[in-house]
Amino acid sequence: MKARLRFILAACVLGLLMTGPFALTAVLLLADAKEAERAAFAEFLIPRLPLGGLITMFGFIAGLILLRSLFQQYVHGLLRMAETLRLMLGANRNFRVAPEGPPEVRELARAANDLAQQRDELLNDVDAQIRTAKATVEEEKNRLAALMSELAMGVIVCNLDGRILLYNSRARLQFKALAQGPTSMSGGALIGLGRSIFSILERGQITHSLENIQQRLRKGSAEPTANFITSTRGGALLRAQMAPVLGSAERAENVGNPPGPLSGMPAAKRNPGYAERGGDDVGGQAAPAQQQMDTTASMGAEMQVTGYVLTIENITRSFEREAERDQALQALTDGNRAALGNIRAAVETLLDSPEMEADTRERFTRVIADEAAAMSGKLEATMNRFADSLKTRWPLEDVLGIDILAVAARRIEDRLHLPIKHEDQDTELWMRVDSFALIQAITFLASRLQDHYAIRELRLRLSAEGRMVFVDLIWSGTTISSETLYTWELEPMTVGVETSPLTLRDVIDRHGGEIWYQRDKAVHSAYFRIVLPAAVTPEAPAADQTQHLHSDSRPEYYDFDLFAARDAAGSGIDPERRLTDLAYSVFDTETTGLQPSAGDEIIQLGAVRIVNNRLLRQEIFDQLVDPVIPLKPEGIPIHGITEAMVNGQPKLDAVLPAFHEFCAETVLVAHNAAFDMRFFQLKEDSLGVRFTQPVLDTLLLSAVIHPNQESHRLESIAERLGINVIGRHTALGDAFVTGEVFLKMIPLLADMGIVTLRQALDASQQTWFARVKY
């Protein structure tokens, strides 16, 4: 029986105890009295009934007050204590019961806290032993994370449903750069744990590649990989290599291998070698090659493809360079064919007519000169336009120029003990080079100058002109001849005992550059100038895109438990699924005011994803919004957003579709969600964006879990659950706190028998807060 019903029942009993004895006594007396006695009794009692009733009513009220106080101190106090004890047992071990109320309740609270302290000491000891036992595993895990994070190529691992369960930083940056439309605003929402790879790559290509891998596995291939080229929605070209993730058939059955692109295949196709063995082990003699095939097939029969690894490379720029090369060759061919024909005709005419008049010969000669000059101009223009595309295809990297010169200077000082000075170096200049070969070349030139001309100091200068970078090696006094430089260009580069098979000319040609010797008579110095290709200066990431990321270079971009995840995306979000099996988008808004129906607007929208019961702090949505209306001065101190911050930001008609794409196929979670959802509902008709997925409200869930607590504000809930509140009253900061609160609530709901989405939604609607409308 609920406490309220027990209180009503106690009040009724109190009323009966106060009035029942008097009423019963009066009835018994009247039953035995004679008529005259009854009349006398009535004459005596009736005038005094109002006073007696008033005294009885005051007594009843006083009794109710006392009864209510006792209920608050003992019944509700013990219920709140029970809720606190459940928090101590599950969500927040460090939470303690506040010793309040009557002495007996306070003593019980102190005893419960003492037991909790003993329990924590035991658990801490157990946790320490577990951490020690897992130290090696954690070390290996961190090594894997470090390797994956620092790989130069994008890596994505998927299960058979195409759900992403691992990706590295390079993959995220690649697809973030390729994102267009609403996705570009959401920070590259194409990629994320639990998301579908088919939102990036074509399903048909993935399925076809998996079938090719299966075919190679059946043939016993040692490297069953597949390669393909695809394009993104934005038109970028990607080169992908697929390798299978193999797992035991028994494990696949135990975890409930989800129905991916290979589901429904017969055993002969799913288990390599099954068909070759006729479905049974074959005894008898066999040739060595057949024995090897049978061994491979036997191993394959025990393994199944449980997922696949994709290495992704953006080849858009390489493809464009190939096209530019073709265009350059076409331009040289088409542009000079007519000129060559004119020159040839003029030359043949001059040869065939030796007696030609002087004026006519002069005209033909002028034709040859003009056509040659035109050809030279076209050739020069083509070379300038397609300089980068016509360079050698040796792999080069973009390097900051001053870094190369700093390394070269240290190398020269260490190897040759030759003092180095730097002058006029552009610190923002990037160049596309083979850094190792270039440093070798600079060191080689310094070594030759020291050996042959005994220079005492070398100065390094870095400058640029147009699309070319100039690296100058400057020395004073001694001059050399151009023939000497030409001789050095053809020698293998040798510095001390270190010899390279490359020549200086090889290095220069590898970069499509040039080198020459030049004197500066005004200052009595000379220098070698190495001409190299310039690189595009990389853009630094915007501060607002990185402020919420961990400083650790190895964020959690993986969850191998998703190998066993079942795909329910095809039929929407099933309300009968367990809360622990769902993906969530936890969001919050900052607004101009508290009245959406009266014209208030959203000024900031923030969200974070939860997948496999983990808050993915790297997969966020954070966007300021221009509300197109003035901000209310009283709201600025709360959310800290000013007019200057929202001016020029995207409007809601661009932000809301991006957020809709970000939270696709997930359950929405918010604190006081009815308020935020009302803003979305009011924009449905004008923007055509409808949020049809289920919505869970941590305010309502808190009332379900802790009905006897006085406050269900987000700060109060976070304090009860032991969550540190950081970044409060920013949309993304509140989303982080709400997400942590929700994750703590899931096991508490399970303790109450609320384990599915439908049960959580039904329980939420039974609370008083569900009646609040905006």
Side-chain angles (χ1 to χ4, degrees):
M1 185 182 297
K2 292 185 178 180
R4 177 179 294 182
L5 294 178
R6 292 203 302 271
F7 177 77
I8 294 173
L9 181 60
C12 293
V13 171
L14 177 64
L16 290 174
L17 289 175
M18 294 186 66
T19 60
F22 296 101
L24 182 60
T25 301
V27 169
L28 292 176
L29 290 174
L30 290 175
D32 294 337
K34 297 179 180 180
E35 188 65 32
E37 291 174 342
R38 292 180 183 175
F41 183 75
E43 183 180 356
F44 174 79
L45 184 62
I46 291 175
R48 294 169 177 78
L49 278 179
L51 178 61
L54 185 62
I55 293 173
T56 303
M57 184 178 66
F58 277 114
F60 180 69
I61 292 174
L64 281 179
I65 294 174
L66 177 61
L67 183 63
R68 185 176 184 278
S69 176
L70 292 175
F71 255 79
Q72 288 291 336
Q73 292 183 6
Y74 286 94
V75 178
H76 287 287
L78 291 175
L79 287 174
R80 283 194 297 271
M81 184 185 296
E83 292 175 355
T84 304
L85 290 173
R86 291 191 185 95
L87 282 175
M88 292 164 54
L89 288 173
N92 186 5
R93 274 174 45 183
N94 298 321
F95 201 67
R96 290 295 181 266
V97 179
E100 57 185 9
E104 299 83 359
V105 176
R106 289 200 301 269
E107 187 62 28
L108 181 60
R110 284 190 286 269
N113 288 337
D114 291 341
L115 288 174
Q117 185 63 34
Q118 294 179 12
R119 191 276 312 258
D120 287 350
E121 292 175 358
L122 293 173
L123 289 179
N124 289 335
D125 183 58
V126 173
D127 289 343
Q129 296 182 29
I130 292 175
R131 283 195 299 271
T132 302
K134 293 174 61 178
T136 303
V137 176
E138 288 297 323
E139 183 179 358
E140 295 297 329
K141 177 181 174 182
N142 290 334
R143 287 176 181 173
L144 170 64
L147 290 171
M148 292 296 301
S149 177
E150 304 305 329
L151 285 176
M153 296 184 66
V155 179
I156 302 175
V157 181
C158 304
N159 64 13
L160 287 181
D161 289 319
R163 295 290 163 182
I164 298 172
L165 51 90
L166 179 147
Y167 62 94
N168 64 350
S169 301
R170 176 66 64 176
R172 181 170 179 81
L173 291 175
Q174 279 183 346
F175 289 106
K176 183 176 181 179
L178 296 175
Q180 294 185 356
T183 302
S184 62
M185 185 175 300
S186 61
L190 287 171
I191 187 170
L193 289 183
R195 293 191 184 276
S196 175
I197 191 66
F198 304 129
S199 65
I200 308 171
L201 307 178
E202 294 182 12
R203 182 186 296 268
Q205 289 181 317
I206 297 290
T207 304
H208 178 68
S209 298
L210 279 172
E211 291 173 351
N212 287 341
I213 287 175
Q214 287 284 353
Q215 181 67 20
R216 294 181 182 182
L217 284 171
R218 285 195 294 272
K219 294 181 178 179
S221 173
E223 297 182 359
T225 60
N227 298 275
F228 59 91
I229 294 177
T230 186
S231 61
T232 66
R233 290 182 295 180
L237 288 178
L238 302 177
R239 178 164 51 213
Q241 183 181 75
M242 177 186 290
V245 177
L246 299 178
S248 65
E250 179 180 358
R251 178 181 181 275
E253 291 298 329
N254 289 338
V255 301
N257 200 20
L262 298 179
S263 62
M265 278 190 178
K269 292 188 176 182
R270 285 187 287 105
N271 296 330
Y274 181 89
E276 286 87 339
R277 291 180 291 116
D280 295 304
D281 292 334
V282 179
Q285 301 295 323
Q290 182 63 36
Q291 291 177 353
Q292 182 177 2
M293 182 179 295
D294 288 344
T295 301
T296 303
S298 177
M299 293 175 60
E302 299 174 357
M303 306 294 288
Q304 278 191 358
V305 176
T306 60
Y308 46 88
V309 181
L310 293 170
T311 54
I312 309 292
E313 181 183 4
N314 187 353
I315 60 170
T316 306
R317 183 55 185 156
S318 301
F319 184 80
E320 290 173 350
R321 286 177 177 170
E322 293 287 346
E324 288 176 354
R325 288 192 185 97
D326 295 341
Q327 188 177 356
L329 293 174
Q330 187 71 24
L332 289 173
T333 303
D334 296 343
N336 292 324
R337 182 179 289 117
L340 285 172
N342 293 335
I343 292 174
R344 181 177 180 180
V347 170
E348 289 177 350
T349 302
L350 289 174
L351 292 175
D352 293 341
S353 305
E355 305 298 330
M356 186 180 297
E357 296 180 359
D359 292 343
T360 305
R361 183 177 294 275
E362 178 66 22
R363 287 199 302 273
F364 277 102
T365 303
R366 192 176 301 113
V367 168
I368 295 174
D370 292 344
E371 293 292 350
M375 287 179 60
S376 178
K378 291 178 181 178
L379 182 61
E380 185 69 21
T382 302
M383 292 300 294
N384 289 335
R385 179 181 177 187
F386 301 105
D388 288 343
S389 302
L390 294 175
K391 290 169 189 171
T392 178
R393 300 184 185 183
W394 189 269
L396 306 176
E397 59 180 340
D398 294 346
V399 183
L400 190 62
I402 58 172
D403 290 345
I404 289 290
L405 295 193
V407 175
R410 288 197 300 270
R411 187 182 181 94
I412 293 171
E413 290 174 342
D414 292 342
R415 302 288 179 86
L416 307 178
H417 305 289
L418 179 64
I420 300 294
K421 289 186 177 180
H422 300 272
E423 65 174 48
D424 301 333
Q425 294 186 0
D426 188 343
T427 59
E428 302 297 327
L429 199 59
W430 287 73
M431 50 189 179
R432 179 173 289 272
V433 297
D434 178 348
S435 56
F436 181 73
L438 178 59
I439 291 171
Q440 278 187 316
I442 294 174
T443 307
F444 169 73
L445 288 173
S447 173
R448 284 292 179 267
L449 288 171
Q450 185 184 51
D451 293 343
H452 291 250
Y453 297 96
I455 63 172
R456 298 181 178 180
E457 181 185 84
L458 188 65
R459 302 192 300 278
L460 300 179
R461 182 170 60 197
L462 182 66
S463 58
E465 181 178 332
R467 302 173 68 178
M468 306 306 294
V469 176
F470 302 141
V471 177
D472 297 337
L473 284 68
I474 309 170
W475 68 95
S476 300
T478 308
T479 61
I480 67 173
S481 64
S482 298
E483 289 77 10
T484 301
L485 175 60
Y486 179 75
T487 302
W488 291 354
E489 287 185 35
L490 303 180
E491 295 179 5
M493 294 188 297
T494 302
V495 179
V497 297
E498 187 176 299
T499 301
S500 170
L502 296 176
T503 65
L504 181 60
R505 175 47 54 187
D506 291 334
V507 176
I508 299 301
D509 291 342
R510 177 176 293 182
H511 292 82
E514 194 52 76
I515 183 172
W516 63 72
Y517 164 73
Q518 191 166 332
R519 293 182 60 189
D520 192 343
K521 296 181 179 180
V523 294
H524 303 286
S525 65
Y527 61 87
F528 292 134
R529 168 160 289 181
I530 303 175
V531 183
L532 300 166
V536 178
T537 303
E539 297 182 0
D544 60 347
Q545 294 176 347
T546 59
Q547 62 181 346
H548 302 293
L549 299 182
H550 296 306
S551 58
D552 189 357
S553 64
R554 293 181 275 109
E556 294 186 350
Y557 287 157
Y558 61 93
D559 192 337
F560 292 118
D561 290 338
L562 293 176
F563 266 126
R566 293 182 179 272
D567 190 7
S571 57
I573 300 174
D574 183 3
E576 301 302 330
R577 292 186 69 186
R578 299 176 64 88
L579 294 173
T580 53
D581 296 338
L582 294 166
Y584 304 90
S585 293
V586 187
F587 74 99
D588 186 64
T589 62
E590 297 297 331
T591 62
T592 58
L594 302 178
Q595 297 178 324
S597 300
D600 282 322
E601 295 286 347
I602 295 174
I603 57 176
Q604 189 180 30
L605 186 56
V608 60
R609 298 181 72 236
I610 292 177
V611 176
N612 204 22
N613 299 309
R614 293 168 57 198
L615 191 69
L616 305 179
R617 294 180 177 271
Q618 308 294 331
E619 298 184 15
I620 61 173
F621 185 99
D622 187 18
Q623 182 63 53
L624 289 169
V625 182
D626 186 351
V628 197
I629 62 173
L631 301 184
K632 295 179 180 179
E634 60 270 21
I636 294 176
I638 298 176
H639 49 61
I641 299 174
T642 63
E643 292 277 3
M645 295 171 65
V646 298
N647 288 338
Q649 295 292 336
K651 295 181 176 57
L652 194 62
D653 59 356
V655 176
L656 203 57
F659 175 67
H660 186 270
E661 183 174 355
F662 175 86
C663 62
E665 300 182 3
T666 62
V667 177
L668 294 178
V669 178
H671 188 77
N672 193 13
F675 174 77
D676 302 294
M677 294 303 297
R678 182 59 178 160
F679 282 93
F680 297 165
Q681 292 166 0
L682 291 173
K683 299 296 181 181
E684 286 182 351
D685 293 335
S686 60
L687 301 183
V689 177
R690 297 182 184 275
F691 293 84
T692 58
Q693 58 262 66
V695 182
L696 289 175
D697 190 338
T698 52
L699 173 65
L700 306 185
L701 293 176
S702 176
V704 172
I705 297 170
H706 303 138
N708 298 292
Q709 298 297 323
E710 297 179 357
S711 175
H712 297 286
R713 297 172 62 246
L714 186 59
E715 293 93 338
S716 301
I717 301 173
E719 182 181 0
R720 286 199 295 269
L721 298 177
I723 297 170
N724 294 325
V725 178
I726 301 175
R728 187 75 171 95
H729 292 302
T730 64
L732 186 59
D734 285 355
F736 281 149
V737 175
T738 305
E740 293 182 12
V741 164
F742 179 70
L743 286 175
K744 293 272 191 175
M745 285 181 168
I746 291 177
L748 297 177
L749 290 169
D751 292 340
M752 302 175 64
I754 302 173
V755 295
T756 68
L757 176 60
R758 185 185 300 279
Q759 291 172 339
L761 292 172
D762 291 343
S764 298
Q765 294 306 310
Q766 301 303 316
T767 63
W768 180 86
F769 293 101
R771 306 171 190 171
V772 178
K773 304 296 180 183
Y774 291 92

